[in-house]
Structures are given as structure tokens and as C-alpha cells.
């Protein structure tokens, strides 16, 4: 008997993904560079389904039914290239190599093109949900050729998370589209976490609430429109007490946020595409700021607001509800920006990404799963060509209801000296988009003054330059 699918790379993710396939009745070939991991999988889980272990890549490939489908779950980067080479050496035209690691989409584009020349399918696939998702149902974002998805798709849809019976897996688009979308998913995850962290910080600083009391607030928020996995686990983390010291867990953790790189990639790509993903960028930069202990120590003595500065009277009592609204409004902005980035990349690379479908497959299995995503899907269902999520009638009215609270929160934070870059930049983005005229007109004037970069006029077609250093007459450029 041969295997329906194979997994090579049996660390946390690969092992659980292999078990997930086995639980769904598939015969799963398993392989790992260091054979000990394969043995471990067989020792611990052989009884859960049909596994075919292999000690060598050659044996692993030979144990697969044609067209062969081999999933790579190894460290992203050079290890992935190495494993692709090993697999490809034993594969035949029509076979598929699926990369489920967190690859950069540019690498995926390169790999797909190279393997296509050898007659092999390469399917760069985003997988979200961590260890738990891999085992019980992740959100899966496969790229690669539509032809490959025809054979591979049903297997992936089987093991994916399901919401209302719909699998959290859809063919995203060709070559790097899947990994691109997974990257933006992670970027949005960064901004979601940043906004949650700002909410916690502001409420704690302004109202002197304890982490346990704040945990209760987040638990309450999770019953409303903010309902999501990240809000749910925020309540868990804030409520957790350190066993060793008896102090709130959040107070014994070093306050320097680390990153593996997908947030940074999202921002780098957004800069290239010219899409303002300010929410994600602020989240990445906030982590970077936290990671500079020397600068922070040196700056500790800098002047702040009068220690007696308090949120405005009257605002105080309602601050919890205001922050909830500001969080929701800022979250809408962050998602709108992430979806813009996918739309722009889709145009740039010819991927034809169905944005509503992306909201659908993020509803379950992944870290940013949330009730909110149903609203995004509905927005794109109603208008596939929506210029920005902000103008969808449901979101527009949510923003309209939240905006007063949002402004009070940003003002309060500035007054008492609590940094809320996520809230403030989201509000600035909202106000920027809304504006009838932007000061970009002045920027154009300055550019023309010092660099003769020209400008366009509101009343006539064409490009113009003013002769700033002479008599200031205007010429057609
Ligand atoms: P790791 O990223 O820790 O990678 C370990 C695995 O890579 C081991 O099986 C290791 O083999 C293998 N490996 C490393 N270098 C090579 C090489 N040169 N040749 C062959 N195999 C190699 O494992 P994870 O399970 O955490 O993640 C796997 C992938 O999934 C990564 O790309 C990760 O970014 C991605 N991912 C992870 C998530 C998570 O929550 N952890 C979520 C979503 C995606 P050996 O045992 O021989 O050392």
C-alpha cells in the first residue's frame, strides 16, 4: 500500500499535521532528516491511523501514490531549498511539492517557477493556527497552480478547520499568493495584538485597574462585537498568576516583544506596493521600540505630563467603554489596510485574489479568528469592488458610532502620556481618508520649489512647474 500524502519535517507542526491527515483516514508517509523524530512519532502515535515511516528521502518519495504529494514542514529559508532539491531529485512530472512553512512569498515565486520548468508543481501554502491548529484544523492558504489544487485541495479542505460547515481553506491564487496572504494574516495579527496591548496599558495606567480586573473586562468584551481568539486569550494571560512569586504573570515577563519576521515582511512589501498599512507598521515598530532597553533606560528621566494629570473629569467613568470602541474602530482600520495590501498585490502579480474568501478562511483555525470576519466577508459579498472596507455601510456606521469615543481615547492617552500608536495612527488614517483636501498639495508645492518635481492643478489637465527662483511664472511641464 502507498500513501495518499507525505509529510517531511516532523517537528511540532509537521508531526501534528501528519496526525491530522491520519485522523481523517489518509495513509500518511512520514519522514524527518533526523530519524529519531520519525521513530518518536511512530512510538507515540502509530495507533492513531495509517503512517508509512521512511528513513530516507528516496524511500519517502517512493512510498507516495502518484501524483505524489509531499508536504515540507521544515525551518523556512535555506532548509526549505535543501529539502526541495532532495525531493525533486526523486519526483516525476506532475508530482507536487507543498511547502507549509512560513516562507517569504518571493522565495515561493522563485521556487514555483524553477520547479515548473522541471514539470513539478510547487504549492506554497500558508498554514495558521500553531501547534493546536495543525492537529485539530488549521486555516490553510494554498497558492500554486489551479491544476494542482484540483487534486490536492480536497485533502487540505478535509483537514482544515470548519466554520458553519465551510472549510477554512481555499485556493488563494497562483505561485506566491498563498504565502503572501499568510504573511498579511500575520501582519494583521501583529496589529490586533498591539491594539489589545494599548487597551490594557491605557486602562491600567489611567484607572489603576489590576490585571485581574482587566482580565474580567476582556472576558466581557469577548461577548460582544470584539469576540475573537486573541481577546479570549488576553483574558487568560491577564488573569494568570505567577506560581513562583504570586504576582500577576504579566508583571514578571520582560517587556520586550520579539518577532520572527512576518510582520516586518508585511510592512516591507507594503512599502514597495505603496499601501499605507500604518496599523501593522506601528505594531512592528512598537515591538522594535520595546527591544531597545539601553535607550529606554537612558530616556526614563525625560519629562512627562504632570504626575497628577488625570483623564478629563467625566471621561474617566466611561473610559472602559470608550477604549472598547476605540479598539473596535482601530481594528476595522487595521483590517481594511491589510485587505488593501492583498488587493494591491493581487493586481501587481495577477493573482485574482477573492478578498471575501480570505475573510472566510480566517474565521476558524487561525490566530486572528473572530466573529468580525463574517462582517468583512459580507462586505465583499455585497460589493466585490469595495474601494476600502471603511465605506462598507456596516463598517461606516460602526466607525461613525465609535469615532467620538476614539477621539477621546487618543486625547486622554496623549494627556496622561500613555503611548497608543495603534489607536492614534488608525484615527489619523481614518481622518486622512475622509478629508476633502489634504496638505499633500503643500508637499507638492515644496517638491516643485526645491526639485522642479512638477504638480498637477485642480482646474486644468497636465503637469506644471513654477519658476520659483525667477519671476514665479508657471509653465506647462
Ligand atoms: P521548526 O521551524 O523548528 O523546524 C524544525 C524542523 O526542520 C525539523 O524537522 C528539522 O529537522 C527540520 N530541518 C531544519 N533544517 C533542515 C534541513 N537543512 N534539512 C532537512 N530538515 C531540516 O519546526 P516547526 O514545526 O515549528 O515549524 C515548521 C514550519 O512551519 C516552519 O517553517 C514554521 O515557520 C512554520 N509554521 C510554524 C508555526 C508554529 O506555530 N510553530 C505556525 C505556522 C507555520 P531535524 O529534526 O533533523 O532537525
Amino acid at each position: 500500500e502507498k500513501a495518499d500524502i507525505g509529510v517531511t519535517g516532523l517537528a511540532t507542526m509537521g508531526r501534528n499535521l501528519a496526525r491530522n491527515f491520519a485522523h481523517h483516514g489518509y495513509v500518511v508517509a512520514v519522514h524527518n532528516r533526523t530519524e529519531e523524530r520519525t521513530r518518536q512519532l511512530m512510538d507515540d502515535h502509530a495507533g492513531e491511523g495509517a503512517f508509512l515511516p521512511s528513513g530516507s528521502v528516496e524511500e519517502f518519495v517512493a512510498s507516495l501514490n502518484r501524483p505524489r504529494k509531499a508536504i515540507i514542514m521544515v525551518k523556512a529559508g535555506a532548509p526549505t531549498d535543501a529539502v526541495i532539491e532532495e525531493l525533486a531529485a526523486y519526483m516525476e512530472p506532475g508530482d507536487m511539492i507543498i511547502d507549509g512553512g512560513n516562507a517569504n512569498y518571493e522565495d515561493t515565486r522563485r521556487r514555483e517557477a524553477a520547479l515548473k520548468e522541471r514539470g513539478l508543481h510547487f504549492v506554497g501554502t500558508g498554514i495558521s493556527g500553531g501547534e493546536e491548529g495543525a492537529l485539530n484544523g488549521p486555516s490553510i492558504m494554498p497558492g500554486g497552480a489551479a491544476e494542482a489544487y484540483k487534486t490536492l485541495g480536497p485533502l487540505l479542505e478535509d483537514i482544515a478547520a470548519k466554520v458553519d460547515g465551510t472549510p477554512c481553506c481555499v485556493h488563494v491564487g497562483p505561485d506566491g499568493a498563498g504565502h503572501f496572504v499568510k504573511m498579511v494574516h500575520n501582519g494583521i495579527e501583529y496589529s490586533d495584538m498591539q491594539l489589545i496591548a494599548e487597551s490594557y496599558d491605557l486602562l491600567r495606567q489611567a484607572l489603576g485597574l489590576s490585571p485581574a480586573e482587566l482580565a474580567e473586562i476582556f472576558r466581557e468584551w469577548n461577548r460582544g462585537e470584539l469576540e475573537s481568539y486573541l481577546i479570549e486569550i488576553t483574558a487568560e494571560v491577564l488573569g494568570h498568576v505567577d506560581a513562583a512569586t504570586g504576582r500577576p504573570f504579566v508583571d514578571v515577563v520582560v517587556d520586550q516583544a520579539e518577532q520572527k519576521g512576518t510582520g516586518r515582511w508585511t510592512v516591507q512589501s507594503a512599502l514597495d506596493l505603496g499601501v499605507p498599512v500604518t496599523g501593522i507598521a506601528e505594531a512592528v515598530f512598537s515591538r522594535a521600540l520595546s527591544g531597545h532597553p539601553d535607550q529606554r533606560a537612558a530616556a526614563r528621566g525625560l519629562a512627562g505630563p504632570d504626575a497628577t494629570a488625570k483623564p478629563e473629569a467625566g471621561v474617566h467613568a466611561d473610559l472602559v467603554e470608550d477604549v472598547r470602541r476605540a479598539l473596535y474602530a482601530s481594528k476595522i482600520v487595521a483590517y481594511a489596510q491589510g485587505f488593501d495590501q492583498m488587493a494591491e498585490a493581487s493586481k501587481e502579480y495577477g493573482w485574482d485574489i477573492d478578498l471575501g474568501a480570505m475573510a472566510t478562511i480566517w474565521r476558524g483555525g487561525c490566530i486572528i479568528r473572530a466573529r468580525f470576519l463574517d462582517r468583512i466577508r459580507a462586505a465583499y459579498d455585497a460589493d466585490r469592488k469595495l474601494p476600502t472596507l471603511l465605506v462598507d455601510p456596516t463598517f461606516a456606521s460602526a466607525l461613525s458610532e465609535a469615532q467620538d469615543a476614539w477621539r477621546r481615547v487618543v486625547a486622554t492617552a496623549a494627556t496622561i502620556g500613555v503611548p497608543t500608536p495603534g489607536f492614534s495612527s488608525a484615527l489619523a488614517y481614518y481622518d486622512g481618508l475622509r478629508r476633502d483636501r489634504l496638505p499633500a498639495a503643500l508637499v507638492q508645492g515644496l517638491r516643485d520649489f526645491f526639485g522642479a518635481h512638477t504638480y498637477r492643478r485642480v482646474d486644468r489637465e497636465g503637469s506644471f512647474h513654477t519658476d520659483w527662483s525667477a519671476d514665479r511664472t508657471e509653465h506647462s511641464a
Side-chain angles (χ1 to χ4, degrees):
E1 190 188 25
K2 294 210 173 190
D4 303 304
I5 190 141
V7 179
T8 178
L10 301 174
T12 317
M13 289 294 287
R15 182 182 56 228
N16 281 354
L17 210 60
R19 291 172 62 201
N20 189 348
F21 277 112
H23 296 170
H24 281 82
Y26 294 104
V27 180
V28 191
V30 286
H31 170 265
N32 192 72
R33 176 181 62 178
T34 313
E35 207 174 348
E36 180 52 29
R37 281 199 207 265
T38 315
R39 264 196 296 273
Q40 200 68 51
L41 170 70
M42 296 310 289
D43 286 350
D44 297 344
H45 306 290
E48 293 174 18
F51 296 100
L52 291 183
S54 292
S56 72
V57 174
E58 182 173 12
E59 212 187 308
F60 171 69
V61 173
S63 72
L64 294 166
N65 256 327
R66 296 208 59 199
R68 302 184 178 92
K69 302 170 201 69
I71 303 185
I72 304 178
M73 286 309 287
V74 305
K75 235 178 234 330
T80 305
D81 281 312
V83 175
I84 290 171
E85 270 319 305
E86 288 168 23
L87 289 173
Y90 300 110
M91 287 194 154
E92 295 165 88
D95 288 350
M96 291 166 220
I97 297 178
I98 301 112
D99 175 19
N102 267 335
N104 186 301
Y105 74 99
E106 302 269 21
D107 286 338
T108 302
R109 287 168 59 79
R110 167 178 60 78
R111 290 166 181 155
E112 202 263 350
L115 287 176
K116 196 190 275 175
E117 298 225 324
R118 297 161 71 171
L120 298 176
H121 286 298
F122 183 71
V123 183
T125 302
I127 300 183
S128 176
E131 183 174 356
E132 174 74 22
L135 182 62
N136 298 317
S139 173
I140 310 182
M141 296 149 252
E147 189 193 333
Y149 191 80
K150 263 189 228 148
T151 356
L152 176 67
L155 282 76
L156 297 181
E157 289 176 17
D158 247 9
I159 65 147
K162 311 279 182 311
V163 176
D164 308 330
T166 307
C168 296
C169 172
V170 76
H171 181 228
V172 176
D175 61 78
H179 275 137
F180 187 91
V181 161
K182 170 67 192 326
M183 174 190 80
V184 174
H185 162 284
N186 285 26
I188 290 176
E189 176 186 311
Y190 273 58
S191 61
D192 254 352
M193 287 164 67
Q194 174 65 24
L195 295 170
I196 288 172
E198 290 178 15
S199 305
Y200 147 78
D201 192 28
L202 181 57
L203 289 176
R204 190 168 182 186
Q205 301 310 317
L207 305 180
L209 298 173
S210 69
E213 289 167 318
L214 287 157
E216 210 33 65
I217 289 172
F218 278 96
R219 212 160 278 134
E220 183 58 39
W221 287 358
N222 201 39
R223 296 191 190 104
E225 60 196 358
L226 283 171
E227 181 189 328
S228 61
Y229 173 67
L230 282 171
I231 296 282
E232 178 192 327
I233 66 171
T234 298
E236 293 298 319
V237 173
L238 287 176
H240 183 58
V241 174
D242 175 51
T245 60
R247 294 170 60 196
F249 168 78
V250 72
D251 288 344
V252 301
V253 176
V254 173
D255 59 347
Q256 294 174 32
E258 295 173 13
Q259 45 186 321
K260 281 195 178 163
T262 40
R264 186 176 61 238
W265 290 350
T266 312
V267 178
Q268 283 169 337
S269 142
L271 289 172
D272 290 337
L273 292 166
V275 181
V277 292
T278 56
I280 300 169
E282 291 296 353
V284 172
F285 287 136
S286 292
R287 290 196 193 188
L289 184 152
S290 79
H292 283 280
D294 294 350
Q295 283 187 329
R296 290 173 57 193
R300 204 148 292 150
L302 293 177
D306 185 338
T308 60
K310 284 270 175 298
E312 246 178 84
V315 167
H316 193 276
D318 300 323
L319 192 63
V320 175
E321 175 58 12
D322 276 1
V323 170
R324 189 190 68 78
R325 285 168 179 247
L327 174 54
Y328 189 58
S330 304
K331 182 178 162 114
I332 294 173
V333 167
Y335 279 68
Q337 294 176 341
F339 275 75
D340 283 350
Q341 185 173 357
M342 292 191 288
E344 197 56 38
S346 181
K347 247 190 279 170
E348 171 82 16
Y349 298 111
W351 286 334
D352 198 23
I353 296 177
D354 175 350
L355 297 175
M358 297 309 107
T360 307
I361 64 173
W362 289 347
R363 291 183 308 160
C366 64
I367 306 301
I368 64 171
R369 60 184 183 262
R371 206 164 106 177
F372 172 72
L373 286 157
D374 271 327
R375 287 189 169 193
I376 297 186
R377 185 188 48 171
Y380 284 112
D381 278 351
D383 181 0
R384 267 198 71 135
K385 296 239 159 356
L386 204 58
T388 159
L389 270 178
L390 304 191
V391 301
D392 164 75
T394 313
F395 287 123
S397 82
L399 289 163
S400 149
E401 278 165 34
Q403 62 144 346
D404 289 338
W406 199 5
R407 295 180 196 288
R408 284 193 296 269
V409 165
V410 170
T412 301
T415 305
I416 65 171
V418 173
T420 52
F423 286 165
S424 6
S425 73
L427 180 58
Y429 177 87
Y430 174 73
D431 282 333
L433 267 195
R434 263 183 349 97
R435 278 297 288 279
D436 177 26
R437 296 247 328 136
L438 287 169
L442 175 57
V443 172
Q444 283 296 81
L446 297 173
R447 293 178 70 244
D448 190 59
F449 190 104
F450 66 70
H453 292 302
T454 77
Y455 51 87
R456 286 176 293 127
R457 296 183 55 98
V458 297
D459 52 358
R460 264 181 286 146
E461 288 290 310
S463 291
F464 302 90
H465 168 58
T466 289
D467 200 353
W468 295 100
S469 55
D471 61 356
R472 304 201 167 180
T473 53
E474 184 176 78
H475 312 279
S476 240

